[in-house]
Structures are given as C-alpha cells and as structure tokens.
C-alpha cells in the first residue's frame, strides 16, 4: 500500500522506515556495504523492475536504511525524465515530457469517492496501481474534494492528506489547493481551518497548508449537451515558459514533515479571503502574469455520427459532456508546436469508469484535481 511506502520513503523524517535500520545506519548491517557495490546493485534493481507491481522492489530497498534511501533517490529519476511513478511524492511531480501517462479513475456513487489508478496495461479497465483518492464533501456555499494518498483516510488532519479541490455554489469555478508549498516563496491562502469530515472535528492546528496551485473556470457551452464543456485552467504554480524548449516546471522532492508547529494558528471564525470570494463568485478573470493557462481543445463536427467529436485515440469509448482534452493556450502570443500537444485528457469508458492521461508540466495530483471538477453538475453552463 502507498501509505506504508509514504511513511517509509516519502516522508521527511528519518525514523519512519520499515526496514531494520534506525534511519541513521547505526545498527543496520546492510548499511555497511561498500558504496560502489551497493550503487551497482541498486542500479540493476531499478533497471530490471520498470513496471508495477514488480517496481515495489525499488521502494522496498529504499526503506532498508538511510544510506540505501539516499542512493536510491539519486538513482531513481523523476517522472519527467523516467516516465515512471515510483515513490508517493511522484504524484506531486510533473509527468513525462515525451508521452502521456495513462491512468484511470473509478467513481463510487454510494460513498461519493473517487480513486485514481496508474494503468498497468493498455486495457481500458485493469487492476491498476492505486495513486490517490478523493471524497466529495458538500457545504452550504461550496463543495470540497479532499484528496489523500490513502483510500480510506481522507480527512484534512491525516498525514496522508495532500490537497483539495473547492468549487463555488454553481460548480462553475474551482480552486486547487496543495497541502504543502509547490515552490519556494509560495503563499498560503487563509480560509476556515477547521473541517468536519466523517463527523470528526479536525483541530485548527493541522499539519497541512492551503496553497492555491490552480484556478479552473467553466463557461457557457454554446453547443449545449452535444459538445464538451468550455473550460480554462490557470496553473498558478507553473510558468508559461515551462512548455517551451528548456522550460522548467516546479518539482517537489519530498513531503513536508508533519509538524503542527510549523504552520501558523488560524482563528476558527476567520472569514474566507477576499481573493477566494472574488474568484468563486465573480466573472472569469484574465491570465495571471506568467502563469500557464490550459484550455479545452475545440471539437470537430462528425458528419456520419452527427455529433461533435474529439480524437482520444481509443482511450475514450462513451460520449459524455464530461470528456475533454486540454492544451496550452497561446494567450497573447502566436501558437507554436508546444500549443498543439495534449497535456491532459479525460473521458468516459463505463458507467463509473473514466480514463485520465496527463503529461509534463502538470502532476498526477493536479491532473486528478482538474478531472474531479468535471464531475460536478454545472447548471449555468449547459
């Protein structure tokens, strides 16, 4: 299970390993192996175990002791370069540059929960590798989707909580929040810090932040239910230059240490910020300076089918207003080849089964959050 790997590998502390060492290599005999020999062994393991479930061996060796962990982290490349999701922190890192990473989402209507899996085969429905889970929480004026590394623990006070998606009352505007800073200098939004999740009150002093990383807006669809919704995503944490040759997107390297004292105490009755109220209730704003903007790809009219269509290359089989493909918007500049690449596509393949494919510069967490926004009913847009 990922939560166990998260504690062993993804966490910032040294004492959370599941191996025989204490995180310092003090009494672990395996820590005394010659560094050259150890590196050669770990390189061979990493090269041999490329796919899940066998890739769990790479996670296992990183949990033996501190020295093994440090070398493994040096050997295992980020998804942007390797195309693989290995450690839990991989869901917060940009996807591969050269291809779409194939995933799928399962919806549970009875529990109002959603589970994200990494596809292990080319089949549209397989067992998959669990990545993230989300649960829908309705509130008087908005809706929250709490996102976690654990399928059964999605409270904000949990150590596996990674972020949330919040919508306005109409379900037309959303904000994606990361639980930890997406980059140096990121500012935490102030909002109500106590949450009622599963009838459990979470303390105002919780080991998580509230960092806005994306704003999503849905507009009136002139095609009605016959075409995909019109949407725009402003990626606050990703610069426009990230999609250009040599561009760089922020990459988180590890989860923050769960320390409640490292986060400021926020009074229980503090109102939501003016910035949040303005976005969730006001009209669609202009592009933020330097932020990457994604827009849905325009469909084409299919004469034989008499409907508007998008080419998902076999990854989507059921027509739905929820289906979409996102590309980078040129905004004020000319469109180039980088604006033709599909960065995220989402579509229906069954009653409660959807495919989600994403690539650089967004992460699995960001892609999952954007896709969750598509599940809401949008009366004002259709």
């Amino acid at each position: 299970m990922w939560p166990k790997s998260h504690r062993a590998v993804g966490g910032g502390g040294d004492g959370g390993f599941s191996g025989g060492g204490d995180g310092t290599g003090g009494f672990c005999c395996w820590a005394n192996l010659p560094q050259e020999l150890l590196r050669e062994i770990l390189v061979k393991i990493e090269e041999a175990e490329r796919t899940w479930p066998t890739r769990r061996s790479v996670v296992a060796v990183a949990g033996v002791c501190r020295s093994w962990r440090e070398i493994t982290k040096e050997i295992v490349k980020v998804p942007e370069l390797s195309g693989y999701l290995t450690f839990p922190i991989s869901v917060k890192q940009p996807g591969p540059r050269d291809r779409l990473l194939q995933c799928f989402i399962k919806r549970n209507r009875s529990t109002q929960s959603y589970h994200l899996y990494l596809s292990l085969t080319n089949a549209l429905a397989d067992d998959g590798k669990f990545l993230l889970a989300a649960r829908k929480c309705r509130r008087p004026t908005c809706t929250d989707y709490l996102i976690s590394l654990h399928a059964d623990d999605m409270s904000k006070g949990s150590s596996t909580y990674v972020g949330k998606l919040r919508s306005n009352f109409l379900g037309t505007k959303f904000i994606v929040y990361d639980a930890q800073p997406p980059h140096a200098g990121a500012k935490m939004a102030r909002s109500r810090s106590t949450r009622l999740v599963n009838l459990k009150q979470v303390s105002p002093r919780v080991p998580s932040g509230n960092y806005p990383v994306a704003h999503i807006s849905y507009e009136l669809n002139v095609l009605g239910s016959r075409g995909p919704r019109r949407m725009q995503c402003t990626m606050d944490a990703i610069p426009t230059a990230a999609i250009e040759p040599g561009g760089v997107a922020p990459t988180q390297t590890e989860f923050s240490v769960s320390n409640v004292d490292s986060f400021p105490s926020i009074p229980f009755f503090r109102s939501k910020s003016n910035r949040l109220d303005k976005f969730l209730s006001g009209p669609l704003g202009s592009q933020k300076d330097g932020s990457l903007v994604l827009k849905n790809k325009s469909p084409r009219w299919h004469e034989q089918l008499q409907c508007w269509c998008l080419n998902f290359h076999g990854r989507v089989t059921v027509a739905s207003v929820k289906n979409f493909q996102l590309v980078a918007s040129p905004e004020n500049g000319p469109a180039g080849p980088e604006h033709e690449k599909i960065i995220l596509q989402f579509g229906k393949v069954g009653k409660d089964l959807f495919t989600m494919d994403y690539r650089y510069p967004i992460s699995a967490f960001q892609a999952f959050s954007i896709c969750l926004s598509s599940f809401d009913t949008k009366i004002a847009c259709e």
Side-chain angles (χ1 to χ4, degrees):
M1 291 292 293
W2 270 54
K4 186 173 182 179
S5 300
H6 172 218
R7 292 192 298 270
V9 181
D14 293 327
F17 296 105
S18 57
D22 61 355
T24 63
F27 67 85
C28 178
C29 61
W30 298 107
N32 297 323
L33 286 176
Q35 294 293 306
E36 295 79 6
L37 175 60
L38 177 59
R39 182 178 296 274
E40 183 178 348
I41 295 173
L42 297 183
V43 166
K44 290 183 177 180
I45 294 176
E46 200 278 334
E47 291 177 348
E49 312 296 350
R50 288 293 189 179
T51 59
W52 289 93
T54 57
R55 195 160 178 79
R56 65 164 61 101
S57 301
V58 180
V59 179
V61 297
V64 172
C65 59
R66 184 176 182 179
S67 60
W68 284 45
R69 175 195 180 191
E70 295 303 321
I71 295 178
T72 304
K73 287 172 61 178
E74 294 176 8
I75 295 173
V76 177
K77 305 300 182 183
V78 294
E80 175 186 347
L81 302 176
S82 66
Y84 302 111
L85 299 181
T86 305
F87 303 121
I89 192 62
S90 299
V91 300
K92 289 290 196 73
Q93 298 172 336
R97 284 181 178 261
D98 57 347
R99 63 183 177 90
L100 288 167
L101 201 58
Q102 297 183 345
C103 306
F104 62 92
I105 298 173
K106 289 184 178 180
R107 175 176 59 184
N108 188 320
R109 295 173 184 263
S110 61
T111 60
Q112 292 191 314
S113 61
Y114 306 83
H115 295 82
L116 175 66
Y117 298 86
L118 176 67
S119 297
L120 302 183
T121 67
N122 292 327
L124 293 179
D126 55 23
D127 291 337
K129 172 72 179 74
F130 173 78
L131 299 178
L132 291 168
R135 177 165 294 166
K136 186 176 183 178
C137 301
R138 294 186 181 276
R139 310 194 186 282
T141 59
C142 64
T143 299
D144 284 349
Y145 292 82
L146 303 182
I147 305 173
S148 172
L149 290 166
H150 198 291
D152 301 317
D153 187 358
M154 285 169 270
S155 63
K156 191 175 180 182
S158 169
S159 61
T160 58
Y161 169 80
V162 294
K164 70 178 180 182
L165 172 74
R166 166 164 289 184
S167 77
N168 64 353
F169 179 76
L170 296 176
T172 56
K173 296 181 184 293
F174 299 78
I175 299 180
V176 180
Y177 292 99
D178 199 327
Q180 66 180 38
H183 56 79
K187 295 183 178 181
M188 184 169 64
R190 291 181 176 181
S191 62
R192 298 178 188 271
S193 57
T194 54
R195 299 292 183 262
L196 190 63
V197 182
N198 295 334
L199 302 181
K200 294 190 299 182
Q201 187 69 36
V202 181
S203 169
R205 297 174 64 83
V206 292
S208 59
N210 233 17
Y211 298 89
V213 294
H215 288 70
I216 308 166
S217 297
Y218 288 83
E219 298 176 332
L220 178 64
N221 186 2
V222 295
L223 302 177
S225 59
R226 303 177 65 190
R229 296 161 174 159
R230 294 180 59 193
M231 62 187 298
Q232 176 175 298
C233 304
T234 302
M235 311 304 297
D236 303 343
I238 304 176
T240 303
I243 63 171
E244 299 174 357
V248 178
T251 302
Q252 299 183 27
T253 57
E254 62 182 2
F255 288 105
S256 300
V257 179
S258 297
N259 182 3
V260 298
D261 293 331
S262 63
F263 294 90
S265 177
I266 303 175
F268 178 82
F269 291 107
R270 185 184 295 263
S271 61
K272 289 183 288 186
S273 67
N274 294 332
R275 178 186 178 191
L276 176 61
D277 287 333
K278 183 177 180 180
F279 175 80
L280 291 181
S281 61
L284 176 64
S286 59
Q287 178 188 10
K288 296 187 178 182
D289 294 339
S291 297
L292 176 67
V293 172
L294 305 178
K295 66 177 183 178
N296 59 310
K297 190 174 183 179
S298 300
R300 61 179 179 84
W301 180 257
H302 197 291
E303 289 293 342
Q304 294 180 339
L305 299 177
Q306 289 294 296
C307 66
W308 295 94
C309 298
L310 289 168
N311 186 4
F312 287 92
H313 302 283
R315 290 287 291 166
V316 177
T317 59
V318 180
S320 172
V321 71
K322 295 180 177 66
N323 302 347
F324 66 80
Q325 291 178 324
L326 294 184
V327 295
S329 173
E331 291 301 311
N332 299 325
E338 64 273 13
H339 299 102
E340 298 297 325
K341 293 181 179 179
I342 296 173
I343 293 177
L344 171 62
Q345 67 177 20
F346 171 78
K348 193 172 185 178
V349 294
K351 181 180 179 180
D352 293 303
L353 186 63
F354 304 80
T355 56
M356 186 200 88
D357 304 335
Y358 76 100
R359 68 186 304 161
Y360 175 91
I362 66 174
S363 65
F365 163 70
Q366 293 167 337
F368 186 42
S369 300
I370 295 173
C371 292
L372 287 173
S373 72
S374 187
F375 285 104
D376 262 13
T377 301
K378 298 164 178 58
I379 301 176
C381 297
E382 300 165 2

